[in-house]
Amino acid sequence: DIDLSKDIVAEFKKSNEYQTYSKNHRLESKVYILTTGYWPPYTTIKCNLPSSLTEFQNVFQQFYLNKYQGRRLFWQHSLAQCTLKAVFPKGRKEIGVSLFQGLVLLAFNEAQSHTFNELVQNTGLEAAELKRTLQSLACGKVRLLVKEPQGRQVTETDSFQINSNFSSKAHKININ
């Protein structure tokens, strides 16, 4: 499965569809095509993807389904990972996060702070999944977000903002 997936992705990156897409976006991607019968089942978790990711999915899906007619493609967002490039007052960082953590962090490009309910709207994540995600960003070892009120539990009345005091000696930080 993995070797076949690498071949498909290599062919995709040579395709006209990808070349056209990559000219307009600064998004690097790696896709794994896995046969459902050989891997454990995963529950599909819905979320609101940024338009650049939605466009990438559409371009890849069009390429894949044209090549393999009669097959279906399911995106498992809960398995996705991202590397975000961030600028903090104390320096630039590359942050390895899950897709869900990435969606939360990207919301702070639009506003300085967000309530829990605003993040539910922005990310499209269910409350339980968003609570787990926010807990990892605001209550874990690496705290990229500050939660109000302070505490270890995330509730629906909490608000969040970027931790402007965040610092790390490492340039690359992995949260997920």
Side-chain angles (χ1 to χ4, degrees):
D1 252 8
I2 299 295
D3 289 336
L4 179 60
S5 179
K6 287 179 183 177
D7 293 343
I8 293 168
V9 171
E11 189 177 339
F12 170 64
K13 290 198 173 186
K14 293 176 186 173
S15 72
N16 290 335
E17 295 96 333
Y18 180 75
Q19 297 303 318
T20 302
Y21 172 81
S22 64
K23 285 180 187 175
N24 300 323
H25 298 85
R26 293 182 354 195
L27 177 74
E28 293 179 34
S29 62
K30 188 184 292 184
V31 178
Y32 293 101
I33 308 293
L34 306 174
T35 306
T36 55
Y38 298 112
W39 297 87
Y42 293 95
T43 303
T44 300
I45 299 174
K46 295 184 181 194
C47 61
N48 298 334
L49 295 177
S51 60
S52 60
L53 283 178
T54 301
E55 188 177 339
F56 172 79
Q57 277 189 343
N58 292 337
V59 168
F60 184 84
Q61 190 156 332
Q62 178 183 0
F63 167 83
Y64 182 81
L65 295 177
N66 285 340
K67 183 171 177 59
Y68 298 101
Q69 295 172 354
R71 291 193 184 176
R72 295 181 301 169
L73 200 55
F74 297 100
W75 295 91
Q76 295 296 341
H77 297 123
S78 62
L79 300 177
Q81 297 178 2
C82 307
T83 301
L84 300 178
K85 294 181 180 181
V87 179
F88 289 93
K90 297 184 179 180
R92 295 176 183 269
K93 305 292 178 194
E94 287 187 20
I95 306 166
V97 293
S98 71
L99 175 63
F100 299 155
Q101 291 167 326
L103 294 176
V104 168
L105 292 172
L106 288 173
F108 290 93
N109 286 341
E110 306 301 322
Q112 296 270 329
S113 66
H114 288 284
T115 65
F116 179 86
N117 290 325
E118 288 170 343
L119 290 170
V120 167
Q121 291 276 317
N122 285 341
T123 64
L125 292 170
E126 294 178 3
E129 188 65 45
L130 182 59
K131 284 180 183 179
R132 280 191 293 278
T133 301
L134 287 167
Q135 195 166 31
S136 69
L137 294 169
C139 306
K141 183 178 174 185
V142 177
R143 297 181 182 198
L144 297 178
L145 299 180
V146 175
K147 179 179 100 55
E148 288 292 330
Q150 292 182 348
R152 303 281 302 153
Q153 298 300 318
V154 173
T155 67
E156 294 179 9
T157 58
D158 291 347
S159 63
F160 301 86
Q161 62 185 25
I162 292 291
N163 182 358
S164 60
N165 293 322
F166 176 76
S167 67
S168 173
K169 292 178 183 175
H171 175 71
K172 293 184 178 185
I173 302 162
N174 192 21
I175 295 180
N176 190 17

